[in-house]
């Protein structure tokens, strides 16, 4: 089992920045990638960004150039730096650990972009 704990969400004005963190614990040896997803009210959960062992990253078109995913292997933590936030970025953001046999989800953290 892998446990994921997200933090860093909150309320921010348009144009502002937030950094989300996701700390992993447990059987992390089985994990080969980490990702951030988001779900806005009334919408399906969507991929925001993913980072695979070796450092390969992929981003949703809507966040390219504004968001950056990174990780600290020593801390078993993945980050999502979000800049130039827009109201349409408002959602619950979930961390996902991608494993060889199973995927794991965090509990989610709310991000609200509003003036």
């Amino acid at each position: 089992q892998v446990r994921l704990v997200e933090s860093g969400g909150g309320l921010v004005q348009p144009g502002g920045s937030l950094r989300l963190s996701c700390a992993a614990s447990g059987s992390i040896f089985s994990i080969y990638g980490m990702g951030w997803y988001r779900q806005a009210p009334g919408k399906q959960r969507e991929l925001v960004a993913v980072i695979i062992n070796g450092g390969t990253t992929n981003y949703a078109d809507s966040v390219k150039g504004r968001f950056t995913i990174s990780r600290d292997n020593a801390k078993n933590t993945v980050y999502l730096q979000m800049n130039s936030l827009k109201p349409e970025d408002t959602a619950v953001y979930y961390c996902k650990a991608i494993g060889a046999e199973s995927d794991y989800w965090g509990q989610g953290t709310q991000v609200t972009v509003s003036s």
Side-chain angles (χ1 to χ4, degrees), residues 32-52:
Y32 65 85
M34 299 286 290
W36 287 97
Y37 289 70
R38 67 187 181 187
Q39 187 167 17
K43 295 187 176 181
Q44 290 188 331
R45 192 172 296 187
E46 62 176 2
L47 172 70
V48 176
V50 63
I51 184 165
I52 304 298

Side-chain angles (χ1 to χ4, degrees), residues 1-4 23-34 53 72-77 97-100 104:
Q1 289 291 327
V2 174
R3 181 169 182 254
L4 304 172
S25 61
S27 302
I28 57 175
F29 60 87
S30 65
I31 302 305
Y32 65 85
M34 299 286 290
N53 287 356
D72 184 332
N73 291 330
K75 295 181 179 180
N76 296 323
T77 299
I98 306 165
Y104 305 88

Side-chain angles (χ1 to χ4, degrees), residues 4-7 20-24 34 36 76-79 95-96:
L4 304 172
V5 179
E6 299 116 329
S7 61
L20 305 183
S21 300
C22 174
M34 299 286 290
W36 287 97
N76 296 323
T77 299
V78 64
Y79 304 97
C95 178
K96 179 181 178 180

